[in-house]
Amino acid sequence: MRRTGVPARRPRLLRTTAWEPVVVPGDAATQAFPDAVAASPLFDAAEPPVLTGARVEGVGPLTLRPWTPDDAPAVQAAYSDGAIQRWHARRLGTVAEARGLLAQWRARWDSRSGASWAVVSADGTLLARTELNAFDLRDGVAGASYWAVPAARGQGVVPAALRVAVSWAFAAGFHRLELEHSTRNAASCRAAVRAGLDAEGVRRGAVRHDDGWHDMHVHALVNPSGTAESAPQPVWA
């Protein structure tokens, strides 16, 4: 599954008789909703928070924690899996390449554009990756991405972890979370639905994979309360 970014809105322009561009302020509705996410203490921490509270029958409690350089061997092993290679269009030949990818994930938090977590079992085994990305802090919109190692698939790990990440995002002030997956990726579709992200439609020929252009199935979930204060609260460790 690959997720495209959400383009930022551009100010409308009017032309005067002298053809000088004049920026027109946003409408009243836009002005009434300031950058709630950007103004929150979301990015005060040096890294994404540790999230707990998810439990999967047969697996046990899950923890979503920030990635560390020590995760590089496990991440490289994950990207040796054919399904992850296919749907994420990436291969990692060395541990050094994996460390570079981990640095990219970390940089998204530093740039206020995303948050990525390692999903681990009670004994610390890497089970999955959950990420919120393409942050639009003005409108409170973000994308989502995930994968699971082969041994953790089909057990509900990804939906459980994604629900925790969604809860955190809504509590932080986000209004809408959305994700896309290839229409050929039935497993990703099941995970999105189980996590509570409703199917909204199909974007035709939207993302290029190794085998060509794929139609992308769009899922989304809107903060049911519309406010950060009454959104489902995550459990932060």
Side-chain angles (χ1 to χ4, degrees):
M1 178 192 60
R2 298 172 63 193
R3 172 72 172 77
T4 57
V6 178
R9 292 179 180 175
R10 295 182 179 180
R12 293 171 290 146
L13 299 180
L14 291 181
R15 296 285 185 177
T16 66
T17 55
W19 294 101
E20 292 294 332
V22 178
V23 177
V24 178
D27 57 28
T30 300
Q31 296 299 314
F33 295 96
D35 300 351
V37 180
S40 77
L42 178 65
F43 296 102
D44 288 351
E47 58 186 9
V50 175
L51 305 179
T52 62
R55 176 179 290 272
V56 177
E57 185 175 356
V59 177
L62 305 178
T63 298
L64 281 67
R65 62 162 176 78
W67 297 95
T68 74
D70 291 340
D71 292 316
V75 170
Q76 183 200 9
Y79 278 89
S80 69
D81 173 67
I84 292 178
Q85 290 178 355
R86 180 183 185 190
W87 301 122
H88 294 263
R90 183 185 295 274
R91 293 169 175 78
L92 298 175
T94 66
V95 172
E97 290 179 335
R99 290 196 186 98
L101 181 59
L102 290 169
Q104 292 178 30
W105 294 344
R106 170 59 182 269
R108 292 174 186 169
W109 179 262
D110 296 336
S111 65
R112 299 190 170 196
S113 62
S116 186
W117 291 273
V119 182
V120 300
S121 63
D123 65 2
T125 300
L126 177 63
L127 302 177
R129 166 184 173 242
T130 295
E131 179 178 277
L132 303 179
N133 50 40
F135 285 178
D136 180 338
L137 300 182
R138 192 184 84 167
D139 289 341
V141 178
S145 179
Y146 45 72
W147 49 249
V149 301
R153 291 175 190 157
Q155 303 179 61
V157 170
V158 164
L162 185 56
R163 284 193 293 268
V164 171
V166 166
S167 177
W168 169 80
F170 284 167
F174 280 93
H175 166 68
R176 172 183 166 92
L177 297 180
E178 52 193 35
L179 66 86
E180 295 180 348
H181 62 79
S182 169
T183 54
R184 307 177 200 178
N185 189 349
S188 186
C189 191
R190 290 192 298 270
V193 171
R194 290 183 66 184
L197 279 76
D198 296 329
E200 290 193 336
V202 175
R203 296 203 308 133
R204 303 301 299 274
V207 174
R208 188 172 184 175
H209 289 66
D210 289 344
D211 58 351
W213 291 96
H214 284 221
D215 295 346
M216 301 298 287
H217 201 181
V218 181
H219 295 255
L221 181 63
V222 174
N223 190 332
S225 68
T227 64
E229 288 76 9
S230 55
Q233 297 296 311
V235 179
W236 295 9

